Amino acid sequence: MDIKSITTKPYLDQKPGTSGLRKKVSVYKQDNYLENYIQSIFDSLKGFEGKTLVVGGDGRYFNHEAIQVVIKMAIANQFGTIMVGQNGILSTPAVSYLIRKYEAFGGIILTASHNPGGPDGDFGVKFNTSNGGAALEALTDAFFKRSQVIERYWMVDIPDIDLSQIGEQDIGGVKVQVIDPVCDYADYMQEIFDFKAIRQMFQNGFKMRFDAMNGVTGPYAHRIFEEMLGAGLGSVVHGTPLPDFGGLHPEPNLVHAKHLVDMMYSSEAVDFAAASDGDGDRYLILGKNFFLNPSDSLAIMTQYIDKIPFYQDKLYGVARSMPTSYAADFVAKDKNYPLYQTPTGWKFFGTLLEADKATICGEESFGASSLHIREKDGIWAVLFWLNILALTGQDVSTLTHALWQKYGRVYTSLHNYEELDSDTANTLLNDLKMRLPALKDQRFKNYQILSAEVFNYTDVVTGEESFNQGIQIYFTDGSRIITRLSGTGSSGATLRLYFNRLIKDPTKLDLDVQLVLKDLVEVASEILKIKEYTGRDYPTTIT
Ligand code: VG1
Ligand code: CO
């Protein structure tokens, strides 16, 4: 087989963000752009010759072309086996699982996750290491460094590989295995959860709707919910992965899954509804007339994890990202589980999971997962909830109200200012940083500042330090404002503002979230000088 060295010139913008290198499709389509980044990844790794690489994507626009490039370059770089999902499809959690199960060297996931798809949308590349987790910062920094000086990449000149048939092909001594994307993952879910109890619940007439938002989870959901659990045909909607996600923005939240939310607040409502994002690592859960906040979801999962046999000998602790509300902290304390607060981004949970310190992890951004893999996992979270419902016979709203009755309700919301000029956003934050020491003890409306600090993180396992992971302002009543810049966008800057306010009064558990947070939101605008810097009166999205 003819392995060619192709001369190239570096692009200077290949710096991965919170989760891989995400750029507009038009950027990825530039000559050698994808090739450069893939070779920069391979050049930064050692000892993969003859080993296995798992490759798959969320089916978005450019997935087809890109996967051929990745496979051919992996062959040229002398991996031994390339395991790829049929038609190039694999969810992010499935890749994580396959890497672990088959002891692969690593995996490449072609996805921009919840970012919009199509020719005008985003594309992305993520590398996961042999533990199944996304590459840590030291490694992604190495990719970036390499990408800035790269002069050649390795490629084989062969026709496109047929990914439509399951089976094994030998290509010049390298094995290309096309696998069923769902099988291994579905078997694993069956090991973790009580499928029998969930099946029984469906037999008793329980009705669910799962909206795959035309992302990658369609095939997983059809197989697991409809076929294995008997949820009934038609329970899964938008279940075919489409290159442009059928025009949907595959981000399961109150804004982009509004159609599902509206349905659950109407007379058409079923018992339980869920959705997931483009690459299948996020989840949204709704009950009848009820939206489950992801931070509360983590708290309730923490309450019930000891009832799921798979976890009974692995109850180590709970981890949540810093902007995730502290609802789970109350439960963890009660249950005597250590609680860890990490920076935003799933990769920070990895070391805790490896060291048997965390069993379950969650993010406010509709992400949850456990030590079963090293990525967040949308289908897993939905199954976890189905298992809780089958076990307790209660519904989502009742279980959440029970949590609030016991600990109080942490009213929570995220306000995003999108498409800001990057310099403006950075100046705003830098100015705020300078003013932090002076903010302590200051009073705004009824809120007095207890502390105002930059969140720097030291990994409790490795001692590795990550600076500048957001700004936390605590008030004396326990309320909290957090702000940070998004690291997953492909253009401009998104300023995120997270709000938490704890209300313990049992007669005030069902108030309107934005009303409860109104004063706090105004205080934040004042402290951050949002209008002054951005000229904006309102956030772009509220979830
Ligand atoms: C966002 C979320 C973060 C999540 C990340 C990747 O990052 O806030 O919690 O882990 O997306 O999710 P940022 O930097 O934009 O705030 V996914 O489903 O896009 O891989
Ligand atoms: Co995702």
PDB file of all heavy atoms in Angstrom, residues 265-298:
ATOM      1  N   TYR A 265     -46.558  20.252  28.458  1.00  0.00           N
ATOM      2  CA  TYR A 265     -47.393  21.174  29.221  1.00  0.00           C
ATOM      3  C   TYR A 265     -48.779  21.310  28.579  1.00  0.00           C
ATOM      4  O   TYR A 265     -49.516  22.242  28.868  1.00  0.00           O
ATOM      5  CB  TYR A 265     -46.718  22.555  29.341  1.00  0.00           C
ATOM      6  CG  TYR A 265     -45.641  22.605  30.408  1.00  0.00           C
ATOM      7  CD1 TYR A 265     -44.360  22.127  30.155  1.00  0.00           C
ATOM      8  CD2 TYR A 265     -45.910  23.116  31.681  1.00  0.00           C
ATOM      9  CE1 TYR A 265     -43.361  22.165  31.130  1.00  0.00           C
ATOM     10  CE2 TYR A 265     -44.911  23.163  32.665  1.00  0.00           C
ATOM     11  CZ  TYR A 265     -43.645  22.686  32.373  1.00  0.00           C
ATOM     12  OH  TYR A 265     -42.661  22.723  33.347  1.00  0.00           O
ATOM     13  N   SER A 266     -49.113  20.373  27.680  1.00  0.00           N
ATOM     14  CA  SER A 266     -50.426  20.434  27.015  1.00  0.00           C
ATOM     15  C   SER A 266     -51.249  19.197  27.380  1.00  0.00           C
ATOM     16  O   SER A 266     -50.799  18.331  28.129  1.00  0.00           O
ATOM     17  CB  SER A 266     -50.231  20.469  25.497  1.00  0.00           C
ATOM     18  OG  SER A 266     -49.901  19.169  25.023  1.00  0.00           O
ATOM     19  N   SER A 267     -52.430  19.101  26.798  1.00  0.00           N
ATOM     20  CA  SER A 267     -53.287  17.943  27.092  1.00  0.00           C
ATOM     21  C   SER A 267     -52.761  16.666  26.424  1.00  0.00           C
ATOM     22  O   SER A 267     -53.213  15.570  26.711  1.00  0.00           O
ATOM     23  CB  SER A 267     -54.710  18.232  26.615  1.00  0.00           C
ATOM     24  OG  SER A 267     -54.666  18.526  25.230  1.00  0.00           O
ATOM     25  N   GLU A 268     -51.806  16.815  25.519  1.00  0.00           N
ATOM     26  CA  GLU A 268     -51.208  15.649  24.850  1.00  0.00           C
ATOM     27  C   GLU A 268     -50.127  14.976  25.701  1.00  0.00           C
ATOM     28  O   GLU A 268     -49.556  13.970  25.283  1.00  0.00           O
ATOM     29  CB  GLU A 268     -50.492  16.079  23.561  1.00  0.00           C
ATOM     30  CG  GLU A 268     -51.194  17.088  22.723  1.00  0.00           C
ATOM     31  CD  GLU A 268     -51.932  16.430  21.588  1.00  0.00           C
ATOM     32  OE1 GLU A 268     -51.275  16.106  20.592  1.00  0.00           O
ATOM     33  OE2 GLU A 268     -53.154  16.205  21.742  1.00  0.00           O
ATOM     34  N   ALA A 269     -49.789  15.581  26.831  1.00  0.00           N
ATOM     35  CA  ALA A 269     -48.636  15.130  27.618  1.00  0.00           C
ATOM     36  C   ALA A 269     -48.671  13.630  27.895  1.00  0.00           C
ATOM     37  O   ALA A 269     -49.726  13.058  28.167  1.00  0.00           O
ATOM     38  CB  ALA A 269     -48.589  15.907  28.926  1.00  0.00           C
ATOM     39  N   VAL A 270     -47.494  13.008  27.808  1.00  0.00           N
ATOM     40  CA  VAL A 270     -47.349  11.610  28.209  1.00  0.00           C
ATOM     41  C   VAL A 270     -46.751  11.578  29.615  1.00  0.00           C
ATOM     42  O   VAL A 270     -46.532  12.619  30.223  1.00  0.00           O
ATOM     43  CB  VAL A 270     -46.467  10.838  27.197  1.00  0.00           C
ATOM     44  CG1 VAL A 270     -47.207  10.633  25.895  1.00  0.00           C
ATOM     45  CG2 VAL A 270     -45.151  11.557  26.946  1.00  0.00           C
ATOM     46  N   ASP A 271     -46.448  10.378  30.137  1.00  0.00           N
ATOM     47  CA  ASP A 271     -45.962  10.298  31.517  1.00  0.00           C
ATOM     48  C   ASP A 271     -44.555  10.862  31.687  1.00  0.00           C
ATOM     49  O   ASP A 271     -44.187  11.363  32.748  1.00  0.00           O
ATOM     50  CB  ASP A 271     -45.964   8.838  31.978  1.00  0.00           C
ATOM     51  CG  ASP A 271     -47.359   8.256  31.958  1.00  0.00           C
ATOM     52  OD1 ASP A 271     -48.224   8.813  32.658  1.00  0.00           O
ATOM     53  OD2 ASP A 271     -47.596   7.270  31.216  1.00  0.00           O
ATOM     54  N   PHE A 272     -43.775  10.759  30.617  1.00  0.00           N
ATOM     55  CA  PHE A 272     -42.353  11.055  30.743  1.00  0.00           C
ATOM     56  C   PHE A 272     -41.807  11.409  29.369  1.00  0.00           C
ATOM     57  O   PHE A 272     -42.095  10.713  28.394  1.00  0.00           O
ATOM     58  CB  PHE A 272     -41.675   9.788  31.266  1.00  0.00           C
ATOM     59  CG  PHE A 272     -40.176   9.823  31.396  1.00  0.00           C
ATOM     60  CD1 PHE A 272     -39.585  10.325  32.544  1.00  0.00           C
ATOM     61  CD2 PHE A 272     -39.358   9.315  30.395  1.00  0.00           C
ATOM     62  CE1 PHE A 272     -38.195  10.334  32.683  1.00  0.00           C
ATOM     63  CE2 PHE A 272     -37.972   9.311  30.531  1.00  0.00           C
ATOM     64  CZ  PHE A 272     -37.390   9.819  31.683  1.00  0.00           C
ATOM     65  N   ALA A 273     -41.060  12.484  29.269  1.00  0.00           N
ATOM     66  CA  ALA A 273     -40.455  12.824  27.982  1.00  0.00           C
ATOM     67  C   ALA A 273     -38.983  13.135  28.176  1.00  0.00           C
ATOM     68  O   ALA A 273     -38.563  13.590  29.247  1.00  0.00           O
ATOM     69  CB  ALA A 273     -41.158  14.023  27.353  1.00  0.00           C
ATOM     70  N   ALA A 274     -38.212  12.862  27.138  1.00  0.00           N
ATOM     71  CA  ALA A 274     -36.775  13.099  27.216  1.00  0.00           C
ATOM     72  C   ALA A 274     -36.251  13.463  25.834  1.00  0.00           C
ATOM     73  O   ALA A 274     -36.888  13.185  24.823  1.00  0.00           O
ATOM     74  CB  ALA A 274     -36.059  11.863  27.751  1.00  0.00           C
ATOM     75  N   ALA A 275     -35.072  14.082  25.834  1.00  0.00           N
ATOM     76  CA  ALA A 275     -34.425  14.412  24.560  1.00  0.00           C
ATOM     77  C   ALA A 275     -32.926  14.339  24.767  1.00  0.00           C
ATOM     78  O   ALA A 275     -32.445  14.306  25.911  1.00  0.00           O
ATOM     79  CB  ALA A 275     -34.826  15.816  24.111  1.00  0.00           C
ATOM     80  N   SER A 276     -32.193  14.277  23.665  1.00  0.00           N
ATOM     81  CA  SER A 276     -30.743  14.318  23.804  1.00  0.00           C
ATOM     82  C   SER A 276     -30.146  15.189  22.716  1.00  0.00           C
ATOM     83  O   SER A 276     -30.851  15.640  21.820  1.00  0.00           O
ATOM     84  CB  SER A 276     -30.143  12.913  23.771  1.00  0.00           C
ATOM     85  OG  SER A 276     -30.345  12.371  22.507  1.00  0.00           O
ATOM     86  N   ASP A 277     -28.844  15.426  22.791  1.00  0.00           N
ATOM     87  CA  ASP A 277     -28.230  16.372  21.854  1.00  0.00           C
ATOM     88  C   ASP A 277     -27.618  15.663  20.656  1.00  0.00           C
ATOM     89  O   ASP A 277     -27.749  14.447  20.494  1.00  0.00           O
ATOM     90  CB  ASP A 277     -27.194  17.244  22.584  1.00  0.00           C
ATOM     91  CG  ASP A 277     -25.931  16.478  22.951  1.00  0.00           C
ATOM     92  OD1 ASP A 277     -26.028  15.250  23.136  1.00  0.00           O
ATOM     93  OD2 ASP A 277     -24.858  17.101  23.044  1.00  0.00           O
ATOM     94  N   GLY A 278     -26.938  16.426  19.811  1.00  0.00           N
ATOM     95  CA  GLY A 278     -26.387  15.903  18.567  1.00  0.00           C
ATOM     96  C   GLY A 278     -25.583  14.634  18.750  1.00  0.00           C
ATOM     97  O   GLY A 278     -25.790  13.654  18.030  1.00  0.00           O
ATOM     98  N   ASP A 279     -24.668  14.605  19.707  1.00  0.00           N
ATOM     99  CA  ASP A 279     -23.777  13.450  19.859  1.00  0.00           C
ATOM    100  C   ASP A 279     -24.182  12.523  21.004  1.00  0.00           C
ATOM    101  O   ASP A 279     -23.456  11.585  21.337  1.00  0.00           O
ATOM    102  CB  ASP A 279     -22.326  13.908  20.038  1.00  0.00           C
ATOM    103  CG  ASP A 279     -22.118  14.699  21.316  1.00  0.00           C
ATOM    104  OD1 ASP A 279     -23.066  15.372  21.762  1.00  0.00           O
ATOM    105  OD2 ASP A 279     -21.004  14.653  21.872  1.00  0.00           O
ATOM    106  N   GLY A 280     -25.330  12.795  21.626  1.00  0.00           N
ATOM    107  CA  GLY A 280     -25.900  11.831  22.572  1.00  0.00           C
ATOM    108  C   GLY A 280     -25.330  11.845  23.975  1.00  0.00           C
ATOM    109  O   GLY A 280     -25.536  10.906  24.739  1.00  0.00           O
ATOM    110  N   ASP A 281     -24.626  12.914  24.345  1.00  0.00           N
ATOM    111  CA  ASP A 281     -24.114  12.917  25.718  1.00  0.00           C
ATOM    112  C   ASP A 281     -24.935  13.803  26.656  1.00  0.00           C
ATOM    113  O   ASP A 281     -24.683  13.838  27.851  1.00  0.00           O
ATOM    114  CB  ASP A 281     -22.613  13.269  25.767  1.00  0.00           C
ATOM    115  CG  ASP A 281     -22.293  14.609  25.132  1.00  0.00           C
ATOM    116  OD1 ASP A 281     -23.219  15.267  24.610  1.00  0.00           O
ATOM    117  OD2 ASP A 281     -21.107  14.989  25.142  1.00  0.00           O
ATOM    118  N   ARG A 282     -25.914  14.529  26.104  1.00  0.00           N
ATOM    119  CA  ARG A 282     -26.764  15.349  26.980  1.00  0.00           C
ATOM    120  C   ARG A 282     -28.173  14.782  27.062  1.00  0.00           C
ATOM    121  O   ARG A 282     -28.598  14.045  26.167  1.00  0.00           O
ATOM    122  CB  ARG A 282     -26.873  16.760  26.429  1.00  0.00           C
ATOM    123  CG  ARG A 282     -25.574  17.510  26.449  1.00  0.00           C
ATOM    124  CD  ARG A 282     -25.826  18.940  26.051  1.00  0.00           C
ATOM    125  NE  ARG A 282     -24.580  19.672  26.053  1.00  0.00           N
ATOM    126  CZ  ARG A 282     -24.488  20.974  26.243  1.00  0.00           C
ATOM    127  NH1 ARG A 282     -25.568  21.690  26.434  1.00  0.00           N
ATOM    128  NH2 ARG A 282     -23.318  21.572  26.243  1.00  0.00           N
ATOM    129  N   TYR A 283     -28.909  15.186  28.054  1.00  0.00           N
ATOM    130  CA  TYR A 283     -30.280  14.719  28.208  1.00  0.00           C
ATOM    131  C   TYR A 283     -31.159  15.823  28.778  1.00  0.00           C
ATOM    132  O   TYR A 283     -30.708  16.679  29.516  1.00  0.00           O
ATOM    133  CB  TYR A 283     -30.332  13.523  29.155  1.00  0.00           C
ATOM    134  CG  TYR A 283     -30.128  13.916  30.610  1.00  0.00           C
ATOM    135  CD1 TYR A 283     -31.169  13.907  31.520  1.00  0.00           C
ATOM    136  CD2 TYR A 283     -28.877  14.353  31.057  1.00  0.00           C
ATOM    137  CE1 TYR A 283     -30.986  14.301  32.846  1.00  0.00           C
ATOM    138  CE2 TYR A 283     -28.684  14.743  32.370  1.00  0.00           C
ATOM    139  CZ  TYR A 283     -29.738  14.717  33.255  1.00  0.00           C
ATOM    140  OH  TYR A 283     -29.542  15.125  34.549  1.00  0.00           O
ATOM    141  N   LEU A 284     -32.413  15.777  28.412  1.00  0.00           N
ATOM    142  CA  LEU A 284     -33.419  16.661  28.999  1.00  0.00           C
ATOM    143  C   LEU A 284     -34.543  15.757  29.473  1.00  0.00           C
ATOM    144  O   LEU A 284     -34.926  14.827  28.758  1.00  0.00           O
ATOM    145  CB  LEU A 284     -33.933  17.629  27.933  1.00  0.00           C
ATOM    146  CG  LEU A 284     -35.274  18.325  28.208  1.00  0.00           C
ATOM    147  CD1 LEU A 284     -35.109  19.408  29.259  1.00  0.00           C
ATOM    148  CD2 LEU A 284     -35.828  18.945  26.930  1.00  0.00           C
ATOM    149  N   ILE A 285     -35.062  16.009  30.664  1.00  0.00           N
ATOM    150  CA  ILE A 285     -36.164  15.190  31.159  1.00  0.00           C
ATOM    151  C   ILE A 285     -37.339  16.076  31.571  1.00  0.00           C
ATOM    152  O   ILE A 285     -37.162  17.125  32.214  1.00  0.00           O
ATOM    153  CB  ILE A 285     -35.687  14.278  32.310  1.00  0.00           C
ATOM    154  CG1 ILE A 285     -34.926  13.095  31.689  1.00  0.00           C
ATOM    155  CG2 ILE A 285     -36.850  13.777  33.165  1.00  0.00           C
ATOM    156  CD1 ILE A 285     -34.258  12.192  32.661  1.00  0.00           C
ATOM    157  N   LEU A 286     -38.511  15.646  31.170  1.00  0.00           N
ATOM    158  CA  LEU A 286     -39.745  16.365  31.500  1.00  0.00           C
ATOM    159  C   LEU A 286     -40.756  15.376  32.059  1.00  0.00           C
ATOM    160  O   LEU A 286     -40.842  14.237  31.596  1.00  0.00           O
ATOM    161  CB  LEU A 286     -40.334  16.998  30.240  1.00  0.00           C
ATOM    162  CG  LEU A 286     -39.469  18.024  29.504  1.00  0.00           C
ATOM    163  CD1 LEU A 286     -39.843  18.072  28.032  1.00  0.00           C
ATOM    164  CD2 LEU A 286     -39.596  19.392  30.152  1.00  0.00           C
ATOM    165  N   GLY A 287     -41.495  15.833  33.065  1.00  0.00           N
ATOM    166  CA  GLY A 287     -42.654  15.073  33.503  1.00  0.00           C
ATOM    167  C   GLY A 287     -43.885  15.784  32.972  1.00  0.00           C
ATOM    168  O   GLY A 287     -43.768  16.791  32.256  1.00  0.00           O
ATOM    169  N   LYS A 288     -45.055  15.294  33.343  1.00  0.00           N
ATOM    170  CA  LYS A 288     -46.280  16.002  32.937  1.00  0.00           C
ATOM    171  C   LYS A 288     -46.283  17.383  33.562  1.00  0.00           C
ATOM    172  O   LYS A 288     -46.154  17.508  34.784  1.00  0.00           O
ATOM    173  CB  LYS A 288     -47.500  15.230  33.464  1.00  0.00           C
ATOM    174  CG  LYS A 288     -48.132  14.366  32.410  1.00  0.00           C
ATOM    175  CD  LYS A 288     -49.440  13.755  32.876  1.00  0.00           C
ATOM    176  CE  LYS A 288     -49.800  12.664  31.913  1.00  0.00           C
ATOM    177  NZ  LYS A 288     -50.486  11.533  32.471  1.00  0.00           N
ATOM    178  N   ASN A 289     -46.375  18.422  32.758  1.00  0.00           N
ATOM    179  CA  ASN A 289     -46.353  19.801  33.275  1.00  0.00           C
ATOM    180  C   ASN A 289     -45.150  20.079  34.151  1.00  0.00           C
ATOM    181  O   ASN A 289     -45.234  20.832  35.114  1.00  0.00           O
ATOM    182  CB  ASN A 289     -47.602  20.095  34.118  1.00  0.00           C
ATOM    183  CG  ASN A 289     -48.829  20.141  33.265  1.00  0.00           C
ATOM    184  OD1 ASN A 289     -48.857  20.864  32.272  1.00  0.00           O
ATOM    185  ND2 ASN A 289     -49.817  19.348  33.619  1.00  0.00           N
ATOM    186  N   PHE A 290     -44.035  19.450  33.845  1.00  0.00           N
ATOM    187  CA  PHE A 290     -42.900  19.613  34.743  1.00  0.00           C
ATOM    188  C   PHE A 290     -41.569  19.528  34.011  1.00  0.00           C
ATOM    189  O   PHE A 290     -41.287  18.575  33.282  1.00  0.00           O
ATOM    190  CB  PHE A 290     -42.949  18.551  35.844  1.00  0.00           C
ATOM    191  CG  PHE A 290     -41.957  18.808  36.937  1.00  0.00           C
ATOM    192  CD1 PHE A 290     -42.225  19.744  37.926  1.00  0.00           C
ATOM    193  CD2 PHE A 290     -40.738  18.135  36.959  1.00  0.00           C
ATOM    194  CE1 PHE A 290     -41.298  20.011  38.917  1.00  0.00           C
ATOM    195  CE2 PHE A 290     -39.810  18.396  37.959  1.00  0.00           C
ATOM    196  CZ  PHE A 290     -40.080  19.338  38.943  1.00  0.00           C
ATOM    197  N   PHE A 291     -40.736  20.541  34.240  1.00  0.00           N
ATOM    198  CA  PHE A 291     -39.375  20.555  33.698  1.00  0.00           C
ATOM    199  C   PHE A 291     -38.414  20.195  34.819  1.00  0.00           C
ATOM    200  O   PHE A 291     -38.431  20.791  35.887  1.00  0.00           O
ATOM    201  CB  PHE A 291     -39.062  21.961  33.163  1.00  0.00           C
ATOM    202  CG  PHE A 291     -37.595  22.241  33.012  1.00  0.00           C
ATOM    203  CD1 PHE A 291     -36.835  21.557  32.060  1.00  0.00           C
ATOM    204  CD2 PHE A 291     -36.958  23.186  33.810  1.00  0.00           C
ATOM    205  CE1 PHE A 291     -35.467  21.811  31.921  1.00  0.00           C
ATOM    206  CE2 PHE A 291     -35.596  23.448  33.665  1.00  0.00           C
ATOM    207  CZ  PHE A 291     -34.854  22.756  32.720  1.00  0.00           C
ATOM    208  N   LEU A 292     -37.601  19.198  34.582  1.00  0.00           N
ATOM    209  CA  LEU A 292     -36.625  18.769  35.581  1.00  0.00           C
ATOM    210  C   LEU A 292     -35.312  19.497  35.348  1.00  0.00           C
ATOM    211  O   LEU A 292     -34.661  19.297  34.326  1.00  0.00           O
ATOM    212  CB  LEU A 292     -36.406  17.257  35.475  1.00  0.00           C
ATOM    213  CG  LEU A 292     -35.316  16.677  36.375  1.00  0.00           C
ATOM    214  CD1 LEU A 292     -35.690  16.787  37.845  1.00  0.00           C
ATOM    215  CD2 LEU A 292     -35.029  15.232  36.003  1.00  0.00           C
ATOM    216  N   ASN A 293     -34.938  20.327  36.298  1.00  0.00           N
ATOM    217  CA  ASN A 293     -33.662  21.015  36.163  1.00  0.00           C
ATOM    218  C   ASN A 293     -32.516  20.012  36.324  1.00  0.00           C
ATOM    219  O   ASN A 293     -32.539  19.175  37.225  1.00  0.00           O
ATOM    220  CB  ASN A 293     -33.577  22.106  37.232  1.00  0.00           C
ATOM    221  CG  ASN A 293     -32.306  22.898  37.084  1.00  0.00           C
ATOM    222  OD1 ASN A 293     -31.233  22.443  37.448  1.00  0.00           O
ATOM    223  ND2 ASN A 293     -32.412  24.080  36.516  1.00  0.00           N
ATOM    224  N   PRO A 294     -31.498  20.084  35.452  1.00  0.00           N
ATOM    225  CA  PRO A 294     -30.413  19.091  35.502  1.00  0.00           C
ATOM    226  C   PRO A 294     -29.690  19.048  36.853  1.00  0.00           C
ATOM    227  O   PRO A 294     -29.199  17.989  37.257  1.00  0.00           O
ATOM    228  CB  PRO A 294     -29.444  19.547  34.413  1.00  0.00           C
ATOM    229  CG  PRO A 294     -30.230  20.437  33.520  1.00  0.00           C
ATOM    230  CD  PRO A 294     -31.344  21.023  34.316  1.00  0.00           C
ATOM    231  N   SER A 295     -29.626  20.183  37.536  1.00  0.00           N
ATOM    232  CA  SER A 295     -28.959  20.179  38.842  1.00  0.00           C
ATOM    233  C   SER A 295     -29.794  19.400  39.858  1.00  0.00           C
ATOM    234  O   SER A 295     -29.257  18.645  40.680  1.00  0.00           O
ATOM    235  CB  SER A 295     -28.749  21.609  39.339  1.00  0.00           C
ATOM    236  OG  SER A 295     -27.860  22.300  38.498  1.00  0.00           O
ATOM    237  N   ASP A 296     -31.129  19.561  39.785  1.00  0.00           N
ATOM    238  CA  ASP A 296     -31.997  18.755  40.660  1.00  0.00           C
ATOM    239  C   ASP A 296     -31.933  17.287  40.263  1.00  0.00           C
ATOM    240  O   ASP A 296     -31.971  16.394  41.114  1.00  0.00           O
ATOM    241  CB  ASP A 296     -33.455  19.237  40.562  1.00  0.00           C
ATOM    242  CG  ASP A 296     -33.667  20.573  41.266  1.00  0.00           C
ATOM    243  OD1 ASP A 296     -32.903  20.876  42.210  1.00  0.00           O
ATOM    244  OD2 ASP A 296     -34.581  21.311  40.869  1.00  0.00           O
ATOM    245  N   SER A 297     -31.824  17.056  38.969  1.00  0.00           N
ATOM    246  CA  SER A 297     -31.745  15.682  38.485  1.00  0.00           C
ATOM    247  C   SER A 297     -30.541  14.968  39.111  1.00  0.00           C
ATOM    248  O   SER A 297     -30.645  13.834  39.595  1.00  0.00           O
ATOM    249  CB  SER A 297     -31.627  15.675  36.955  1.00  0.00           C
ATOM    250  OG  SER A 297     -31.479  14.362  36.473  1.00  0.00           O
ATOM    251  N   LEU A 298     -29.404  15.645  39.134  1.00  0.00           N
ATOM    252  CA  LEU A 298     -28.209  15.042  39.731  1.00  0.00           C
ATOM    253  C   LEU A 298     -28.451  14.725  41.207  1.00  0.00           C
ATOM    254  O   LEU A 298     -28.062  13.664  41.701  1.00  0.00           O
ATOM    255  CB  LEU A 298     -27.006  15.981  39.575  1.00  0.00           C
ATOM    256  CG  LEU A 298     -25.715  15.489  40.229  1.00  0.00           C
ATOM    257  CD1 LEU A 298     -25.191  14.231  39.536  1.00  0.00           C
ATOM    258  CD2 LEU A 298     -24.637  16.576  40.241  1.00  0.00           C
TER     259      LEU A 298
END
